[in-house]
Amino acid sequence: MMHALRVAFRTAGAQHIGLGHVRRCLSLALALRVKGGSSVFLLDGDPDLCGVIEAEGFETRHIHIRDDVESTLGHCREFIIDAIVADSYALSTSYFQAMKGVVPVVAVLDDLADRELPVTLVVNGSAGADELHYRGGPNTKYLLGPRYIMLRPEFSEAPVTHTRDAIQRILITVGGSDPYGLTSRLIQWTDASLPDVKQDVVVGPLFSDTDALKEIARNVAGTITIHENPGEIRTLMLNADIALCGGGQTTYELAATGTP
């Protein structure tokens, strides 16, 4: 009988970090589950994100950065992990060196190439990834470029889009958090420039002041719908004539739906 792969995802998410790290780890974990694998998430950051992960059916443990290595290794031994996938800018070269002696496969989702990565596998699905100067170990393998971007399963479907003669609907989404309050300004700028369009505004799970955002939406002239942590954002993207967004994972999701 074939052994089912057991993977630990060591990732991070918070208001100042956003949700991108967690989202792409979830995308990979969902794909592994289809193949019969099991995953556990080791999360550094906002404990509320544990609920987002557990809603997808994955066990989650909260990690404190002060005892990160010891805690991570303890969980890897507890779950008899075959591979660890790390996705966090806070993890240092020494962290990965400590993992190598315990976990058979150490993979890193990294889009900075700002430190040595003595690991088994480096994955970067961003455009221009193959131009970065990664410093891995002698046997490190690299999967670089948009063919390796990690998107949620629904984005694997080919989009069916319809181009209107004029902009009627705009999607505004800056990601899982909005620490600089950009969403409210995008609503007002859009209303000033295109007062007759409908705005679909996405509020992520780490937004800090949703009530204030709703108040701004009530005071502009246009038609605005607030979507709080929507489960099906692909439909919103397909219905939009254009999107105003933050960078990161959302950019690639919009590309996958053919949304300008």
Side-chain angles (χ1 to χ4, degrees), residues 108 110 121-126 129-130 134 141-150:
V108 181
D110 178 84
L121 180 67
V122 174
V123 184
N124 182 356
S126 303
D130 53 356
Y134 281 102
K141 304 294 184 184
Y142 300 92
L143 303 178
L144 306 176
R147 72 171 65 185
Y148 300 110
I149 196 72
M150 295 181 187

Side-chain angles (χ1 to χ4, degrees), residues 23-101:
R23 283 291 187 207
R24 59 189 180 189
C25 285
L26 276 172
S27 297
L28 181 53
L30 290 167
L32 287 169
R33 186 162 64 189
V34 171
K35 298 292 185 180
S38 62
S39 302
V40 60
F41 278 73
L42 310 177
L43 178 70
D44 162 39
D46 194 323
D48 290 341
L49 280 180
C50 291
V52 174
I53 298 168
E54 289 164 358
E56 297 287 356
F58 298 108
E59 190 168 351
T60 307
R61 301 293 175 88
H62 195 249
I63 295 285
H64 294 285
I65 196 72
R66 62 178 177 270
D67 59 346
D68 197 342
V69 172
E70 295 80 5
S71 184
T72 299
L73 289 176
H75 290 310
C76 286
R77 293 187 181 100
E78 175 189 353
F79 290 100
I80 317 176
I81 292 300
D82 299 301
I84 184 168
V85 177
D87 189 353
S88 171
Y89 298 144
L91 303 178
S92 64
T93 299
S94 60
Y95 177 93
F96 297 118
Q97 290 170 333
M99 296 299 115
K100 282 179 62 178

